[in-house]
Amino acid sequence: MKTLNGKNAMHGTEVALSLLKSLDADSILALVGLGADIVMLVGQDHTVHRIHFADPDMGSYGLTKAVGKRLQDLVTVESVPKIDAMLTGQDSARQARGYQVNHSCDGKPDLPVLYSGFSVADSPYMLVVGRELRQQMKDQQRLVETQMELEADYRELQEAEARYRTAFRVSTIAHVMLDGERKTVLDANAAAMSLVGGGSTGIVGKPFRDLFRKQDRDALSDAIGEARHSASPVRLDTLKTVKGEPVSLSLRSYRENGITNLIISAWQSSDAQEARRQQVEKRNERPVDLTDVPEPAVQTNDQGQIVGANTLFLDLAQAPSIAQVVGRNLGTWFSKTSLDLHVFYSRLAEEQVVRGFATTLTDNLSGDRPVLVSARRNPETSLTQVIFVPQPVVTTERLSIPAPGAPEQADGFANLVGRVPLKDLVRESLEVIEKICIEAALDQTNNNRASAAEMLGLSRQSLYIKLRRHGLEDYRPSN
């Protein structure tokens, strides 16, 4: 049985060879062209002797007049080395993958074609088979455009988030975002920090009920449960915080990631506001004029509450008016470094004068600014004058990273250490190296983007995205 099958196979091969020998060159090209877009017979002198292409539109790229011409003369300049390598058979592994080249035509985009060459011993011709990639290029271009649109939408989303975050932070009304399941604080603005307190560690992550006195906590828990299932806000009055200040609350539910959370608005009761106004007036009976102080300055009592400030401090704290500063605790602008402020006041109580205390001030827009703080306490009035000296801000938006291989490279990195976080230094260094590599690849390929992507081991889509990121869309090699 095996012998019979072997004979049948041998007979079939002989029939196929006999059939191929009976075909002329044009018929063989047409037969191969059933599975390819372009088929050519190329002689040892690289001249095209026969050509067959499936789409008549390809003729406008010079293929109708290809017979008698060198194949190198039918492609663009940057594609000539690839044709030379294919016809000479320098890289057998590359032959299997094919060579992507371009045919040019006036008034039309280049025609991308993936060519592979096949030669037989003792044959004067090489069979060159090509597959055109126009549809693939269009798909890649659409993918790149979609990626750019997604990036633009993401940037718009980030900008909108920044706007709402700023509005949340600078609002003079206290707002608290509450986890509806755990009843803990998810987020709170500066007004909420000042109103309900929370100590040196802030209130984020703490149970909300712990911020109020014990006799009010059961009523607050009932209101939270009611608000989670109510379509309208729940109002709660006559509560007192652990600091003893009476407040009113408005609780409204909202959905977030499948969970019902709460946004709570808080404000002082009218009686508390009047008491605070009278307290501030009493403290201001013997105020110190800070107008002539050449640096941002405030006047506080022993509890850190501000009773006076100059306009330079309003600029430093991004406060629109003096009314939004007076009566608030100085710790409001040091919420991220409250331990520093505690140490500062401890030293002040012992020494009455403190000079050059280094810390970081957080303004009403959540911006951080390094400052040196000096203060003098008046033991007769128990009032403290605090002066802030802003320090230079080290920006890390764009680092001055020396080019790799430059003699001053080591010194450049050494100067940045200590002033710039290591992760930012490494990230920006990689950005510089990536840009240099892309420019080098474009120079070596004479700005052929497809060849440059292949040289860098990237897809065309990834290369186009990186070109846009580094501002190299219109890059041209310098000759």
Side-chain angles (χ1 to χ4, degrees):
M1 187 68 178
K2 292 181 180 179
T3 304
L4 182 59
N5 288 339
K7 289 182 178 180
N8 290 338
M10 182 66 70
H11 179 68
T13 302
E14 293 176 353
V15 171
L17 291 174
S18 176
L19 178 61
L20 288 174
K21 290 179 180 179
S22 65
L23 298 175
D24 57 13
D26 292 335
S27 300
I28 293 176
L29 293 181
L31 180 63
V32 177
L34 295 175
D37 297 309
I38 302 174
V39 184
M40 289 182 282
L41 285 179
V42 181
Q44 296 179 353
D45 58 353
H46 301 175
T47 301
V48 178
H49 289 266
R50 293 283 194 280
I51 186 170
H52 173 82
F53 46 89
D55 188 353
D57 183 57
M58 297 181 186
S60 59
Y61 291 89
L63 299 183
T64 55
K65 301 178 181 179
V67 176
K69 294 183 178 180
R70 297 174 70 250
L71 182 55
Q72 290 87 335
D73 298 334
L74 302 176
V75 298
T76 55
V77 176
E78 72 275 4
S79 302
V80 172
K82 296 182 181 182
I83 296 296
D84 292 336
M86 179 184 69
L87 296 179
T88 55
Q90 296 175 355
D91 188 350
S92 58
R94 180 67 181 273
Q95 286 282 9
R97 298 197 310 267
Y99 296 81
Q100 182 177 325
V101 302
N102 295 316
H103 294 275
S104 62
C105 177
D106 294 337
K108 289 185 178 181
D110 291 349
L111 172 66
V113 180
L114 184 67
Y115 280 119
S116 297
F118 304 93
S119 58
V120 180
D122 301 330
S123 174
Y125 301 109
M126 173 180 282
L127 182 65
V128 177
V129 179
R131 179 168 59 90
E132 64 103 353
L133 305 175
R134 283 180 295 185
Q135 186 59 45
Q136 180 178 336
M137 296 299 103
K138 291 179 181 178
D139 293 340
Q140 289 182 352
Q141 183 63 30
R142 282 197 295 268
L143 187 60
V144 171
E145 292 174 354
T146 302
Q147 179 70 21
M148 291 181 177
E149 291 176 359
L150 288 175
E151 289 185 354
D153 292 342
Y154 181 66
R155 284 196 302 273
E156 291 180 1
L157 181 62
Q158 285 183 315
E159 292 170 357
E161 181 182 357
R163 287 193 296 270
Y164 287 112
R165 173 62 61 178
T166 300
F168 177 75
R169 291 297 182 194
V170 304
S171 174
T172 56
I173 300 176
H175 293 296
V176 176
M177 314 300 292
L178 189 68
D179 188 319
E181 298 289 341
R182 299 182 178 88
K183 310 298 188 300
T184 56
V185 177
L186 295 173
D187 201 357
N189 62 0
M193 295 280 194
S194 176
L195 181 61
V196 302
S200 60
T201 57
I203 65 175
V204 175
K206 289 186 176 181
F208 186 62
R209 67 196 306 270
D210 291 351
L211 303 175
F212 298 85
R213 62 180 183 176
K214 293 183 179 180
Q215 53 266 42
D216 292 334
R217 292 176 182 176
D218 291 339
L220 177 60
S221 296
D222 293 341
I224 291 175
E226 180 183 353
R228 292 191 64 200
H229 302 90
S230 175
S232 57
V234 174
R235 176 75 177 266
L236 192 62
D237 294 311
T238 66
L239 294 180
K240 283 191 176 181
T241 67
V242 291
K243 298 190 301 181
E245 295 193 13
V247 297
S248 299
L249 303 180
S250 175
L251 302 88
R252 180 188 292 273
S253 62
Y254 71 96
R255 296 288 292 177
E256 181 180 4
N257 297 327
I259 300 175
T260 300
N261 292 334
L262 298 175
I263 178 169
I264 302 176
S265 301
W267 61 92
Q268 283 186 326
S269 300
S270 57
D271 294 341
Q273 291 176 352
E274 178 63 21
R276 170 169 285 193
R277 186 188 65 79
Q278 294 177 359
Q279 187 179 22
V280 170
E281 289 179 354
K282 183 178 180 180
R283 291 173 186 153
N284 285 336
E285 289 178 357
R286 299 178 63 184
V288 175
D289 188 7
L290 302 175
T291 305
D292 296 332
V293 179
E295 298 289 350
V298 298
Q299 186 176 17
T300 71
N301 60 14
D302 285 341
Q303 288 73 43
Q305 289 179 319
I306 297 175
V307 297
N310 61 5
T311 56
L312 293 177
F313 180 78
L314 299 183
D315 296 337
L316 181 65
Q318 299 290 338
S321 65
I322 192 70
Q324 296 190 14
V325 172
V326 173
R328 298 177 66 180
N329 194 286
L330 187 60
T332 301
W333 294 278
F334 296 91
S335 58
K336 297 181 181 178
T337 56
S338 54
L339 180 61
D340 290 351
L341 192 64
H342 175 72
V343 174
F344 172 75
Y345 270 100
S346 297
R347 285 181 54 187
L348 190 61
E350 295 176 0
E351 305 173 10
Q352 305 301 318
V353 175
V354 174
R355 295 184 178 90
F357 190 88
T359 184
T360 301
L361 180 143
T362 303
D363 61 34
N364 288 353
L365 300 181
S366 298
D368 294 336
R369 182 69 181 270
V371 294
L372 290 179
V373 184
S374 299
R376 181 178 64 86
R377 181 178 182 273
N378 188 335
E380 295 182 359
T381 62
S382 298
L383 296 178
T384 300
Q385 299 175 39
V386 186
I387 297 177
F388 304 89
V389 180
Q391 299 300 298
V393 178
V394 178
T395 179
T396 59
E397 292 182 359
R398 295 303 303 173
L399 306 178
S400 180
I401 304 295
E408 68 278 7
Q409 180 183 10
D411 294 338
F413 280 105
N415 291 333
L416 291 172
V417 172
R419 297 189 296 113
V420 177
L422 179 61
K423 62 179 182 179
D424 294 337
L425 186 61
V426 173
R427 183 184 68 249
E428 293 294 336
S429 301
L430 293 177
E431 291 278 342
V432 172
I433 294 172
E434 183 178 73
K435 181 178 180 181
I436 292 174
C437 292
I438 292 175
E439 291 176 346
L442 293 174
D443 289 340
Q444 294 180 28
T445 60
N446 196 22
N447 204 31
N448 183 276
R449 305 299 170 88
S451 300
E454 184 176 357
M455 178 180 295
L456 295 169
L458 301 172
S459 65
R460 275 197 179 185
Q461 174 194 358
S462 298
L463 177 61
Y464 288 143
I465 293 174
K466 292 180 183 296
L467 290 174
R468 184 173 178 273
R469 181 194 305 163
H470 296 297
L472 298 176
E473 299 100 322
D474 300 323
Y475 180 80
R476 293 293 182 269
S478 56
N479 297 324

